[in-house]
Amino acid sequence: MVTSNDRWKLYPHLRILDDLLLHLESRNIHRLMTYMPPQHGKSWLISKYFPVWYLGRHPDDRVILASYEADFAASWGSAAKTIFENWADKIFGLHVKHDSKSKKHWDIEGHEGGMDTAGAGGSQTGKRANFLDIDDPHKNPQEARSPIFQERIEDWYLGAADTRLPKDGLMNLTQTRWDELDLGGRILENEDHITAEEAFEILKNGGRIPRDTWVVLKFPAIATEHDILGRKPGEALCPDLFPIDVLKGKKKRMDARDPGMFEALYQQDPVSIEGSMFKKDYFHKVDSLPPVPLRKADLRWWDLADIYVPEDVPIEKRGAATAGVRLILTKDLKLYVADVKEFWKEDDEVMKEIKTTAQSDGYNVEIRTPQDPAQAGKSQVSIYSKLLRGYAYDGVIEHGDKEARAKPVALWGKLNGIYILRATWNTRFLYVCTRFPRGRHKDIIDAMSGSFSEIMPEQEEDEEIEIIPGLF
C-alpha cells in the first residue's frame, strides 16, 4: 500500500474488513464490530486509514476515535492527520486547517469536518460524530473482567458515546474479547446483531442492514468450523504474519499462565476462568427448537426471590434474583434451554411476571417452584396454584445444596452437550453458568437444576448419566 511504503498489506482477511468498511461509509450498514487477533492490521485499516478515506469523501463530517486511554487514542488521531496532510490534497483536493496543531483535534480547511480523539469513559459532550470509532475500550484483562469497569464503560457507551451520533451516524467497535460481559458482550446481549456472513448475503442482493443492527466480523487466529475465509480448521489467519507453529507456541505459553488468555486474545472467544462446574463448550447454540411432537418434556422452573432492585444498580452489585429457566427434553433425549428469565422485583411484580411468562409459554409447558416444607411453603404453593389455574403447576421440595443440585445437569452437559436457543439472554446465561459456583449469582443455575431434575427420567442415586449415542 502506497501510503504505508508497503509496510502494511491488504491480506485476504483485511479485504473482507475493507469491504464492510466501504459498506459502512455508504450507509448500507451503520454499526460494525471487528474482532481480530493483535498485529493483524485491523487498527491500521480502521483507525488510521479509514478515517482519512471517510473524511476525504465527507469533508463536512466529524470523526471521533475513542480508546482505553486518551493518549493512545491521540496517537491514532496523529497518524491519521499525517496521512491526511500527505495525501488528501493529491486524492481529494483537501487540506488540514493551518491552525490545527493538536493531534487530539484537527479540522479540514474550508469545511466543518475533522477528527477528535478521546479516552473511553471520558466526555465528548457537545461534539458530533458522524463516524465513531471505538478501538480497544478495555486496557487489559483485569479491567475487562472487572464488574466496576464493565459498568463504567457501558455507561460511557450509552450515555456519552452513542448520543454523539446523528440519525445516519456510523459506529465501529474493535476490541479484544476478554470477557463475556465486556463492552462487546454487553452490546451483543442487549442489541440486535448478525454475523458478517449473514450481512454479505443481504448486501449482495442489494439490501441494507437495519440502522440499529450490528454486523459482527470475527477472525480467530486459528480457524474453526465454518470459517468466513474458507480456511480449514487449524489453519492460521495470516501465515505471512503469524505461521501456525508460532500461534501454537503462543497458545502453549499463554495456557500455562492463564487458560483463557489465548482464547480471548487470539480466538476472540472469551472464556471464564472463575467457575469449575460448567464449561462453555458444553453449550451449543441453535436457531430453532424441536417441534412439539418430538418433545418428551417441556418445563420451566422458577427460583423465587422477592427483592426489588432499581434498574440503575449494576447487576454485579445486586443480590438474589428471581430466575425462570425453561428446558425441553426430546424423545431422543436431546436437552434444550428454550428460555431464561432473570429479574429483581417485589413479590406482586414477580407473580405478574410469572403469570405473563406462563401465558407466553402456553399450556403445554409445565411449571414448578421450590416449596419450603414448612407451612409457609405450602401457603405459597397454594397461592401460585390459584394464580396458575389451568397450567400444569406444582411445588417441589428441594434436597441438597446448590452445587449438589447442579451436578447432574453439569454432568449431562459434559457428556452429551446442551443446546441453547440463540437469543439475547445467551450471553448472561453463559456468563452465570461458566462462573458457577464461585460467581455472585446462582439463581439461573438453581432454576436450570430444578427443571433438569423434573424432566429427566428418575435414576438411582449412584447411577451415572448415560452418554447418548450420536450426540456431539
Side-chain angles (χ1 to χ4, degrees):
M1 187 174 181
V2 177
T3 57
S4 70
N5 294 319
D6 291 327
R7 289 180 299 159
W8 184 88
K9 296 180 180 180
L10 196 62
Y11 289 107
H13 64 284
L14 294 174
R15 290 186 183 277
I16 292 178
L17 173 56
D18 190 57
D19 286 345
L20 288 175
L21 289 172
L22 292 177
H23 281 295
L24 190 74
E25 182 268 329
S26 300
R27 265 71 181 179
N28 293 325
I29 64 178
H30 286 76
R31 294 181 180 238
L32 176 65
M33 282 191 189
T34 309
Y35 300 134
M36 197 183 300
Q39 303 302 311
H40 276 72
K42 60 184 181 297
S43 289
W44 274 52
L45 179 55
I46 299 172
S47 299
K48 184 176 180 179
Y49 295 127
F50 182 69
V52 175
W53 167 259
Y54 180 86
L55 288 172
R57 292 177 59 82
H58 306 276
D60 290 310
D61 281 3
R62 302 296 307 184
V63 171
I64 291 180
L65 188 151
S67 189
Y68 59 85
E69 283 183 348
D71 287 344
F72 183 72
S75 69
W76 288 115
S78 177
K81 178 184 176 184
T82 298
I83 294 174
F84 200 95
E85 289 173 330
N86 293 337
W87 294 95
D89 182 28
K90 300 179 181 68
I91 301 174
F92 304 108
L94 298 171
H95 303 269
V96 174
K97 197 172 181 180
H98 70 279
D99 59 353
S100 292
K101 306 297 184 183
S102 172
K103 60 183 181 180
K104 297 180 180 180
H105 171 90
W106 52 271
D107 301 312
I108 299 173
E109 186 70 47
H111 294 272
E112 297 295 322
M115 187 171 183
D116 298 284
T117 66
S123 174
Q124 284 84 36
T125 304
K127 295 181 179 179
R128 166 173 54 94
N130 301 93
F131 170 52
L132 174 60
D133 178 21
I134 305 174
D135 192 336
D136 274 332
H138 303 288
K139 183 177 182 179
N140 51 45
Q142 290 74 31
E143 289 191 4
R145 291 169 176 166
S146 163
I148 294 176
F149 278 98
Q150 288 174 348
E151 294 284 346
R152 182 180 300 171
I153 294 299
E154 184 182 29
D155 288 346
W156 167 82
Y157 160 72
L158 294 171
D162 196 33
T163 59
R164 297 301 94 211
L165 296 176
K167 65 179 182 180
D168 64 342
L170 310 174
M171 186 183 300
N172 172 76
L173 170 62
T174 303
Q175 69 164 94
T176 296
R177 288 303 316 278
W178 286 114
D179 190 87
E180 294 97 328
L181 286 183
D182 56 19
L183 180 57
R186 286 169 181 260
I187 292 174
L188 292 176
E189 183 178 27
N190 296 306
E191 301 185 27
D192 293 336
H193 58 277
I194 60 175
T195 65
E197 294 91 330
E198 292 170 326
F200 278 125
E201 284 297 315
I202 296 171
L203 295 168
K204 77 178 184 180
N205 293 317
R208 291 189 173 188
I209 311 303
R211 179 175 287 109
D212 290 328
T213 297
W214 287 87
V215 175
V216 183
L217 178 62
K218 176 182 173 181
F219 284 119
I222 300 176
T224 56
E225 296 286 346
H226 311 298
D227 184 70
I228 190 172
L229 285 169
R231 293 178 293 163
K232 296 178 181 179
E235 291 185 343
L237 176 60
C238 188
D240 280 0
L241 298 176
F242 292 92
I244 190 63
D245 60 325
V246 173
L247 292 173
K248 288 182 177 179
K250 290 180 180 293
K251 184 178 189 306
K252 183 178 180 180
R253 290 189 295 274
M254 290 182 180
D255 285 349
R257 176 67 177 84
D258 180 343
M261 184 179 293
F262 186 86
E263 292 299 313
L265 194 60
Y266 282 87
Q267 296 299 93
Q268 306 308 305
D269 187 17
V271 295
S272 170
I273 60 172
E274 295 182 23
S276 59
M277 190 171 291
F278 293 91
K279 306 301 181 185
K280 193 173 182 181
D281 60 7
Y282 294 0
F283 302 95
H284 308 270
K285 293 182 181 180
V286 296
D287 294 315
S288 61
L289 296 173
V292 173
L294 299 182
R295 301 178 188 179
K296 179 182 178 69
D298 192 344
L299 184 143
R300 186 187 293 272
W301 180 288
W302 287 98
D303 188 60
L304 302 174
D306 58 353
I307 301 173
Y308 168 72
V309 179
E311 291 187 1
D312 60 351
V313 174
I315 288 179
E316 289 301 321
K317 295 182 180 179
R318 303 179 190 183
T322 293
V325 175
R326 177 184 171 189
L327 296 185
I328 293 174
L329 182 68
T330 61
K331 293 177 181 178
D332 59 351
L333 300 183
K334 293 179 181 178
L335 184 65
Y336 291 79
V337 182
D339 184 57
V340 175
K341 306 290 186 188
E342 183 187 37
F343 48 81
W344 289 262
K345 297 184 178 183
E346 293 179 346
D347 190 52
D348 57 336
E349 293 297 320
V350 169
M351 295 178 69
K352 289 180 182 178
E353 289 282 353
I354 291 177
K355 181 63 177 289
T356 299
T357 302
Q359 293 169 338
S360 176
D361 287 344
Y363 288 100
N364 291 328
V365 180
E366 298 182 58
I367 306 170
R368 300 288 185 272
T369 61
Q371 177 184 335
D372 189 309
Q375 183 59 41
K378 296 178 182 179
S379 298
Q380 185 182 54
V381 170
S382 176
I383 292 172
Y384 274 100
S385 295
K386 295 176 182 177
L387 175 74
L388 299 170
R389 191 182 305 276
Y391 295 92
Y393 164 75
D394 200 2
V396 178
I397 297 175
E398 295 178 303
H399 300 283
D401 59 22
K402 293 179 184 293
E403 291 185 44
R405 294 196 295 268
K407 284 181 180 178
V409 65
L411 181 58
W412 180 278
K414 180 180 181 179
L415 298 180
N416 298 310
I418 300 172
Y419 297 99
I420 63 174
L421 182 64
R422 197 182 306 276
T424 56
W425 49 262
N426 291 172
T427 301
R428 174 64 179 167
F429 172 74
L430 293 173
Y431 179 89
V432 172
C433 287
T434 54
R435 279 159 173 73
F436 184 82
R438 289 191 284 268
R440 179 177 178 84
H441 294 120
K442 303 174 176 64
D443 315 291
I444 286 175
I445 300 296
D446 239 11
M448 179 168 63
S449 303
S451 287
F452 185 81
S453 68
E454 288 292 292
I455 68 175
M456 292 304 297
E458 291 188 7
Q459 296 173 315
E460 296 297 328
E461 185 174 348
D462 295 330
E463 183 180 353
E464 291 188 359
I465 291 177
E466 176 186 3
I467 300 179
I468 308 301
L471 292 189
F472 310 105

